Amino acid sequence: MDMNAQQRANSGTDGHNLRPEDLAAVARLPLFCDLSPALLAEITVEASVTKYARNDIIFRQGDIPNALRVVLDGQVGLTGTIADGGETMVEILKAGEMFIPAAVLTEKPFLMSAVALQPSRILSLPGERFRRDVREKSDLAYVMLTSLSRHFRSLVREVKDLKLKSAAQRLALYLIGLTTKREGSTIVRLPHSKSVIAARVGVRPETLSRAFSHLKGQGVVVDGNAVSIADIPALRAYCHEGEEII
Amino acid sequence: MDMNAQQRANSGTDGHNLRPEDLAAVARLPLFCDLSPALLAEITVEASVTKYARNDIIFRQGDIPNALRVVLDGQVGLTGTIADGGETMVEILKAGEMFIPAAVLTEKPFLMSAVALQPSRILSLPGERFRRDVREKSDLAYVMLTSLSRHFRSLVREVKDLKLKSAAQRLALYLIGLTTKREGSTIVRLPHSKSVIAARVGVRPETLSRAFSHLKGQGVVVDGNAVSIADIPALRAYCHEGEEII
């Protein structure tokens, strides 16, 4: 966490670091909504909320985790780097999603860095306290298990896509993910920079435009940040989206 | 499960499906070794052990999970397929590893098929009973969480490798994984067919030989099933193994 972010940290009053409206927001998270109010109050006694500006680093790959974090508002990118300087974006997280519980639970260094892609408010549950709560409170352990399981399944899908689909198909999947429409045509606005999109899709930045060119034949036309998709069902069929057995 | 496998299913005596020696083997698994004998006996009351021959299908992608499974002996491959007929091997599991707990916990269809790559003995913990045990027994929930967390981290590493490393580098990683030596030269024997290796590495079978050719420049020579590695540290450096921050 950089000093700016530290300075922006919210600290509440009355022995509970969360303001009442923050606690109410936490209670509405799909992650925690099945927990009793008493349990929720207990596990958040040491919690805090921190604001980050766009591009603020929340933590770096290799850091030892000090807290479980949940996106309250905004958007967070998880990036992985390797020794030769390559960097990729493994995931983009939206409001309501927790991040890197695996590192926090195992007390192992983060495999990814977290960066705010938009101005974001992040809930932190201190790690030691959180691990103790999970050990002692089976309701909490169960919601963590089901949440981690869902998350695990999305990573399995990503591995399958990376191994079985082309770069253009993966780019098409990303574009389809930007719209809720399932029929007809649409225009989507790219919410991320080209380098973030390339990393997310798993191609080099210099080959992203080649992947976009491939998609011209599928009715995808780029104009600055606006991308028009002529035929959503056809593009879904092209990348086999929704066609899998699962 | 095919009928042969069903017929091979072991069913024990004395109200406990596991024979004493099976129960002892289960107690030694790293997964369960932290559980008390009483708890272990309780969660395995409805468990059974099934033998599979090489190439037997244990379950298919799309099946609804009926049990949590753990490899007692042998080796299991998890493969994913997509609509256009592509198939890839996401993971290879060895003795002591559980598989697809995420599907069992969420009661969602399997995203992968499981096939015995060697003659294998598989422990099954029926799903409904297992989910109830996890909900009620926080010790069990905790070992499941830490195990799933470790597993999750290995998938994150795989996504990073798939996005950041070349096919030849990933093949080199696979080869390095076949030896425990860290210095000098060695000869490893390929334990899987070329098509399994291609799927594991994430390349088309027809391009696996190209990846092997690339590795000739790194001192890797193939002779049938034997692969000689002239300089293990150099090959590790080539694929950045162990060089990452994490």
Side-chain angles (χ1 to χ4, degrees), chain B residues 145-212:
Chain B
L145 253 184
T146 50
S147 170
L148 192 59
S149 294
R150 276 194 296 270
H151 203 154
F152 189 88
R153 286 167 64 87
S154 74
L155 266 191
V156 169
R157 283 174 205 268
E158 176 150 13
V159 170
K160 286 167 69 175
D161 286 348
L162 283 166
K163 285 187 168 180
L164 292 170
K165 294 182 179 175
S166 69
Q169 285 176 317
R170 298 197 307 268
L171 175 58
L173 276 177
Y174 169 84
L175 296 173
I176 286 169
L178 298 176
T179 176
T180 53
K181 285 185 73 176
R182 287 291 171 266
E183 296 299 328
S185 65
T186 192
I187 296 179
V188 296
R189 198 154 288 280
L190 297 176
H192 304 118
S193 68
K194 294 281 163 69
S195 64
V196 167
I197 296 171
R200 185 70 194 84
V201 170
V203 297
R204 289 175 210 283
E206 60 269 25
T207 56
L208 184 67
S209 56
R210 203 188 306 157
F212 269 116

Side-chain angles (χ1 to χ4, degrees), chain A residues 88-89 92 170-171 174-175 178 189-205 208 212 225 227, chain B residues 163:
Chain A
T88 193
M89 184 151 297
I92 295 175
R170 298 199 305 270
L171 175 58
Y174 169 84
L175 296 173
L178 298 177
R189 199 156 289 280
L190 297 176
H192 305 117
S193 69
K194 293 282 162 71
S195 64
V196 166
I197 296 171
R200 183 69 194 85
V201 170
V203 297
R204 289 174 208 284
L208 183 67
F212 269 115
N225 267 337
V227 177
Chain B
K163 285 187 168 180

Side-chain angles (χ1 to χ4, degrees), chain A residues 168 171-172 175 209-223 227-231 235 238:
Chain A
L171 175 58
L175 296 173
S209 56
R210 203 188 309 156
F212 269 115
S213 298
H214 268 291
L215 291 186
K216 268 185 202 153
Q218 307 300 325
V220 174
V221 177
V222 188
D223 180 10
V227 177
S228 69
I229 301 173
D231 183 341
L235 192 61
Y238 168 73

Side-chain angles (χ1 to χ4, degrees), chain A residues 89 111 160 163 200, chain B residues 89 111 160 163 200 246:
Chain A
M89 184 151 297
L111 295 173
K160 286 168 68 176
K163 284 188 167 179
R200 183 69 194 85
Chain B
M89 184 151 296
L111 294 174
K160 286 167 69 175
K163 285 187 168 180
R200 185 70 194 84
I246 308 304

Side-chain angles (χ1 to χ4, degrees), chain A residues 62 83-84 87-89 108-111 134-135 138 142 145 153 158 160 163-164 199-200 240 243 246, chain B residues 62 83-84 87-89 108-111 134-135 138 142 145 153 158 160 163 199-200 240 243 246:
Chain A
D84 62 350
E87 174 168 309
T88 193
M89 184 151 297
K108 294 278 170 59
F110 288 122
L111 295 173
V134 166
R135 247 180 214 282
S138 59
Y142 197 78
L145 253 183
R153 286 168 64 88
E158 175 149 13
K160 286 168 68 176
K163 284 188 167 179
L164 292 170
R200 183 69 194 85
H240 299 291
E243 259 186 43
I246 309 304
Chain B
D84 62 352
E87 174 168 309
T88 193
M89 184 151 296
K108 293 278 170 61
F110 288 122
L111 294 174
V134 166
R135 246 181 217 280
S138 60
Y142 197 79
L145 253 184
R153 286 167 64 87
E158 176 150 13
K160 286 167 69 175
K163 285 187 168 180
R200 185 70 194 84
H240 299 291
E243 257 186 43
I246 308 304

Side-chain angles (χ1 to χ4, degrees), chain A residues 77-90:
Chain A
L78 300 179
T79 63
T81 54
I82 57 170
D84 62 350
E87 174 168 309
T88 193
M89 184 151 297
V90 177

